[in-house]
């Protein structure tokens, strides 16, 4: 039987594994977007988006990762998670709308799932609650 302490420890380990994986994914895709990698540029234009959006999203991803990884700043963390949720769900939907293959859609799905798991398992000290006024 699991004790509450063991359960919290397991949740914290899950949180950090998925959060660091998400952070790595967001940073690496941000870099690819900021340097305007030709494959990523083709991907963006195939989805119907202008190339300048890559710079905006790349910068937001880096700032979002910083917000999620730094201590405190709970409201900023929630905004970062919300931003990641909208960007990655939008990416998944965009790939589906243009009829991309599963292989081209999977990276967006993976990052979207990582965002949700990281958000869900975040420890109490990384959540906004009524007691954190």
């Amino acid at each position: 039987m699991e004790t509450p302490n063991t359960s919290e420890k397991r949740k914290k380990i899950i949180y950090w594994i998925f959060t660091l994986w998400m952070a790595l994914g967001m940073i690496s895709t941000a870099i690819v977007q900021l340097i305007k990698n030709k494959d990523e540029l083709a991907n963006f234009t195939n989805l119907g988006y202008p190339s300048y959006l890559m710079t905006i999203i790349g910068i937001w991803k880096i700032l979002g990762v910083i917000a999620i990884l730094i201590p405190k700043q709970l409201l900023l963390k929630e905004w970062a998670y919300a931003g990641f949720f909208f960007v990655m769900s939008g990416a998944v939907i965009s790939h589906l709308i243009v009829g991309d293959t599963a292989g081209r859609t999977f990276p967006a799905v993976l990052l979207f799932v990582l965002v949700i798991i990281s958000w869900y398992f975040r420890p109490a000290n990384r959540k906004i609650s009524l007691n954190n006024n």
Side-chain angles (χ1 to χ4, degrees):
M1 193 159 105
E2 237 179 341
T3 64
N5 198 19
T6 305
S7 176
E8 287 304 311
K9 188 174 186 176
R10 184 171 44 85
K11 284 181 182 178
K12 194 177 235 182
I13 290 168
I14 292 169
Y15 166 77
W16 279 110
I17 288 170
F18 282 89
T19 300
L20 292 174
W21 190 7
M22 176 198 69
L24 180 62
M26 290 296 180
I27 292 292
S28 62
T29 57
I31 291 168
V32 166
Q33 290 164 343
L34 289 171
I35 65 171
K36 298 222 183 337
N37 171 276
K38 73 178 174 84
D39 292 333
E40 185 66 10
L41 184 57
N43 187 34
F44 251 68
T45 55
N46 178 56
L47 295 173
Y49 297 116
S51 62
Y52 68 81
L53 190 58
M54 291 172 63
T55 303
I56 295 168
I57 292 175
I59 291 169
W60 283 347
K61 283 180 177 180
I62 291 169
L63 293 174
V65 166
I66 292 168
I68 286 172
L69 293 180
I70 62 172
K72 312 263 190 249
Q73 307 304 321
L74 302 181
L75 183 59
L76 196 56
K77 287 181 194 319
E78 291 300 319
W79 279 69
Y81 276 116
F84 285 158
F85 178 88
F86 292 126
V87 167
M88 296 321 303
S89 64
V92 171
I93 292 165
S94 296
H95 283 286
L96 294 174
I97 288 172
V98 301
D100 267 345
T101 64
R104 290 184 63 89
T105 306
F106 179 73
V109 171
L110 177 60
L111 275 174
F112 183 54
V113 169
L114 293 175
V115 167
I116 292 168
I117 293 171
S118 172
W119 175 83
Y120 181 81
F121 282 99
R122 69 202 191 287
N125 66 347
R126 290 182 168 262
K127 293 180 185 178
I128 291 179
S129 71
L130 296 177
N131 298 333
N132 291 356
N133 297 334

